[in-house]
Amino acid sequence: MEIKLLGALTAHERCGSFAPSAAKPRQVLALLALHAGQVVPVPSLIEELWGEHPPRSAMTTLQTYVLHLRRGIDRALGRDEVLSAKEILETAHGGYQLNAQPGEVDVHDHEHLMIAGRAAVHAGDDESASRLMGRALQLWRGPALVDVVAGPLLEIEVLRLNEARLGVVECRVAAELRLGRHAEVLGELTVLAARYPLHERLYEQLMIALYRAGRVWQALETYQKLRTTLDRELGLEPSERLRRLHQSLLSGDERLYVPDDVRVHARPA
């Protein structure tokens, strides 16, 4: 089985796809896949599908959606498969559980790589951190569940996943900067700063990369751009951390080439 949620929703078994085309069954599959290996309670599924005002037929309709999902799984399994659709999409006490093996749902792979990457950062192994975070980002094919109509529960999950993606980007870029690869991340940071015009951490990383590339005036210009945007949109000044970085740029502080939070780590033997 292979289920992908980091982008458009796809679901395949050995003989083909079992992703439904109708909106609400897609919601059910997405929520079950996000929590694969865990029981998703019936009230949670009903809330996702109909919010606070479900119809009287909600339970019966949900059971119909599950039946359709199982039929799709059965078709995708083929005749020679040992497991049945009821074993894969199991009725559990108070809810339903999608039983997936490690590596079958991209969200879970992403989370494992993210955790391993952060562990590598804490161990001072930035080469591994960069590689692991890069592998996590390669799993993304667009915004999470981009073609699924999200109810209240999936909306929260989508926000969480997209925020996690941005955190992985920040962590990988920080590792790259500690490894002295400012030239390699300059283009990426420029695009990200334009996409997230209020995100101070990305601007900080871009300023450092520009400074190290010998483009001091652009680093200073980047700070002024962020300052203007923050004032116009939120009525705020940049954080103290960013103001200190700005002063270091103005003074030509040589420590910016190896600042405390982006210092180069040698990979352990």
Side-chain angles (χ1 to χ4, degrees):
M1 182 163 61
E2 182 182 69
I3 300 178
K4 295 184 178 181
L5 308 169
L6 302 177
L9 170 64
T10 65
H12 292 86
E13 257 294 353
R14 55 185 298 175
C15 293
S17 171
F18 61 90
S21 57
K24 289 192 182 299
R26 289 174 72 82
Q27 286 175 264
V28 173
L29 176 59
L31 196 59
L32 290 171
L34 281 167
H35 300 283
Q38 304 173 40
V39 176
V40 179
V42 165
S44 296
L45 289 162
I46 289 176
E47 180 184 357
E48 168 59 27
L49 293 171
W50 294 287
E52 296 180 356
H53 304 288
R56 291 183 179 179
S57 61
M59 186 64 198
T60 302
T61 305
L62 174 60
Q63 291 170 342
T64 301
Y65 295 155
V66 170
L67 177 62
H68 287 167
L69 285 173
R70 284 176 174 158
R71 286 175 177 170
I73 293 171
D74 259 332
R75 287 192 298 269
L77 282 171
R79 295 182 178 180
D80 298 330
E81 187 59 50
V82 175
L83 289 176
S84 69
K86 283 189 176 182
E87 291 173 300
I88 292 174
L89 178 44
E90 181 181 358
T91 301
H93 180 68
Y96 297 96
Q97 177 172 315
L98 183 68
N99 294 312
Q101 300 300 314
E104 292 184 337
V105 181
D106 61 354
V107 166
H108 299 164
D109 289 344
H110 181 268
E111 290 172 349
H112 294 151
L113 288 166
M114 180 174 62
I115 292 169
R118 288 175 177 167
V121 169
H122 292 312
D125 185 357
D126 287 311
E127 284 285 0
S128 292
S130 174
R131 175 175 50 81
L132 290 163
M133 294 296 187
R135 284 174 56 194
L137 292 170
Q138 287 173 1
L139 295 172
W140 287 81
R141 299 163 293 111
L145 294 170
V146 66
D147 60 347
V148 175
V149 178
L153 302 186
L154 281 182
E155 279 184 356
I156 294 171
E157 293 291 344
V158 167
L159 287 172
R160 177 183 68 82
L161 290 170
N162 288 331
E163 187 63 29
R165 180 187 190 180
L166 188 56
V168 171
V169 170
E170 292 176 34
C171 190
R172 185 188 61 77
V173 169
E176 294 287 338
L177 288 174
R178 286 191 293 268
L179 292 165
R181 298 171 183 165
H182 47 274
E184 288 88 334
V185 297
L186 250 179
E188 179 183 6
L189 281 170
T190 301
V191 172
L192 287 167
R195 186 178 298 166
Y196 302 100
L198 299 174
H199 200 295
E200 288 199 358
R201 179 58 172 158
L202 293 174
Y203 270 81
E204 176 187 352
Q205 292 176 328
L206 176 57
M207 289 162 63
I208 290 170
L210 286 167
Y211 183 86
R212 291 182 175 185
R215 293 153 65 175
V216 180
W217 68 272
Q218 282 184 287
L220 294 170
E221 188 179 68
T222 297
Y223 175 82
Q224 293 301 333
K225 181 180 179 181
L226 174 63
R227 184 180 183 186
T228 299
T229 304
L230 286 172
D231 180 58
R232 182 180 66 246
E233 299 294 332
L234 303 174
L236 297 175
E237 283 288 312
S239 65
E240 182 180 351
R241 177 188 177 101
L242 214 61
R243 293 199 300 271
R244 288 200 305 267
L245 174 59
H246 180 238
Q247 289 301 316
S248 296
L249 294 173
L250 290 171
S251 64
D253 191 341
E254 292 186 359
R255 289 176 297 177
L256 278 175
Y257 286 103
V258 193
D260 288 342
D261 62 331
V262 289
R263 62 185 180 277
V264 176
H265 289 300
R267 184 173 182 174

